[in-house]
Amino acid sequence: MGFFDSAQDVIDKGVSTAKGVVSGVAVERQPFMKGFVRLCADGWNQGWHERNGGNLTYRMTDGEVADCRPFFYENPCNWIPLGVQADNLRGAYFAVTGAGRYMRNVPLDTAKNVGIVEINPEGNACRIVWGLKDGGKPSSEFPSHFMIHSVRVDVTGGSSRVLYHAHPINVVALTSVMPLDARTITRTLWKAMTECIIAFPKGVGVLPWMVPGGAEIAMATSELMKTYDAVIWAQHGLFCSGSDFDSAFGLMHTIEKASDIYVRARLLNGGGEFANTISDEGLRAIARNLGLGINEDFLD
Ligand code: 13P
Ligand code: ZN
């Protein structure tokens, strides 16, 4: 049984119950949750979240967990197996959008469309301790988010907290016409818009089409996230990591905007060679001036 089905099974068998009246700042009014909700609304407004498309997770700080704890369920649901395991996330807490829930509804009813989950001491299961009202369960992509968080915590020394998955139109369109390799797609984006090499100096990882929502895509994405801050899923969407909501959203926005510019330029010239582009020497000069640790393998 995959994560999605086992989550349903666990939730069907037991109902979480809330505490009585509690004092403190409600979870919805905590600064991290305001940032979470704002990103969901911004992504919806960009047109990246048709239906229930996309999902968002945030790894909470100990202080945020303490501030929210009074509002946690008195009797959380049973542990839901994740199908993957991470030692460095034992006992962690995440805010997560709900499976099948719509980004556009997050600001209207946050406690229904978003939850807080606790990871068990073994680092291989989660349970809902707040939100996801009315039988909600964590995003079907939570195993991917979980494995990527684990890798990003390692490679960033713990500063990475946000993972954002969206279905941006132009990024997905590009994967139908371009070779699905990181070097080709990264170079295309770096050369489409000057700021790109600054926003993602390591480049963008690329995965071929895979079945979403399982352990296989989780492992493959987390492997690429050892190198890249963002990974494209062909014919599906994009995963971006960040230390905060601004950086994760900003990365998604930059990659989609560069893709949009490239698509428009290709339409304008009918798919042939471009008259003007940024040279590899030019990209190196930006990196030198700003001291960027660029991926040299992606330059000629
Ligand atoms: P969820 O509704 O389960 O988060 O799935 C949306 C999605 O984008 C799957 O890749
Ligand atoms: Zn998706």
Side-chain angles (χ1 to χ4, degrees):
M1 201 189 291
F3 174 70
F4 192 76
D5 295 324
S6 59
Q8 190 67 66
D9 200 42
V10 168
I11 286 154
D12 286 348
K13 281 184 185 145
V15 178
S16 303
T17 53
K19 288 182 184 143
V21 177
V22 286
S23 61
V25 178
V27 173
E28 289 93 329
R29 288 174 44 226
Q30 298 283 343
F32 81 89
M33 192 55 88
K34 287 187 183 173
F36 191 104
V37 171
R38 181 180 173 214
L39 187 149
C40 294
D42 286 350
W44 161 252
N45 287 327
Q46 291 291 329
W48 300 338
H49 298 295
E50 81 292 340
R51 206 168 168 270
N52 64 307
N55 28 69
L56 176 65
T57 52
Y58 170 75
R59 187 173 58 84
M60 294 166 66
T61 66
D62 291 346
E64 288 159 346
V65 174
D67 289 344
C68 293
R69 197 175 287 284
F71 300 92
F72 286 174
Y73 293 131
E74 207 153 28
N75 299 301
C77 70
N78 291 332
W79 296 105
I80 305 164
L82 290 169
V84 287
Q85 194 274 340
D87 283 334
N88 62 355
L89 296 177
R90 294 166 185 260
Y93 287 78
F94 293 93
V96 54
T97 48
R101 302 262 153 110
Y102 292 25
M103 286 283 191
R104 67 189 281 261
N105 291 335
V106 166
L108 295 181
D109 190 349
T110 304
K112 177 169 176 163
N113 296 292
V114 177
I116 294 176
V117 297
E118 176 187 2
I119 305 301
N120 65 348
E122 293 78 27
N124 61 9
C126 69
R127 65 178 178 184
I128 301 162
V129 296
W130 180 87
L132 291 174
K133 284 185 315 192
D134 305 335
K137 50 186 181 290
S139 166
S140 61
E141 302 292 3
F142 190 63
S144 281
H145 283 253
F146 180 75
M147 285 315 292
I148 300 167
H149 274 291
S150 172
V151 161
R152 299 305 297 174
V153 165
D154 270 352
V155 298
T156 65
S159 68
S160 175
R161 292 201 172 271
V162 179
L163 283 176
Y164 179 31
H165 168 59
H167 298 171
I169 301 162
N170 294 284
V171 173
V172 178
L174 278 192
T175 64
S176 293
V177 298
M178 293 198 66
L180 295 177
D181 76 87
R183 191 175 193 275
T184 306
I185 291 187
T186 297
R187 286 174 60 76
T188 299
L189 299 177
W190 278 354
K191 286 167 179 262
M193 190 171 79
T194 301
E195 293 287 317
C196 283
I197 196 162
I198 303 167
F200 48 98
K202 299 287 181 223
V204 180
V206 181
L207 278 179
W209 184 87
M210 294 177 79
V211 175
E216 201 188 339
I217 197 166
M219 299 307 292
T221 314
S222 63
E223 194 54 38
L224 291 185
M225 281 274 187
K226 289 178 181 167
T227 307
Y228 307 107
D229 297 340
V231 170
I232 293 172
W233 287 354
Q235 285 80 49
H236 185 153
L238 178 59
F239 241 100
C240 288
S241 65
S243 54
D244 54 25
F245 295 107
D246 279 349
S247 57
F249 184 85
L251 186 55
M252 183 75 68
H253 202 196
T254 308
I255 294 171
E256 168 59 4
K257 186 166 185 186
S259 303
D260 191 1
I261 290 170
Y262 176 74
V263 166
R264 289 178 200 221
R266 233 172 118 146
L267 284 172
L268 282 175
N269 82 342
E273 278 279 295
F274 289 166
N276 310 300
T277 187
I278 306 172
S279 65
D280 286 61
E281 211 171 287
L283 293 172
R284 275 203 182 83
I286 298 173
R288 242 191 340 268
N289 280 358
L290 297 176
L292 304 173
I294 57 165
N295 187 344
E296 284 282 344
D297 294 343
F298 286 180
L299 290 177
D300 284 344

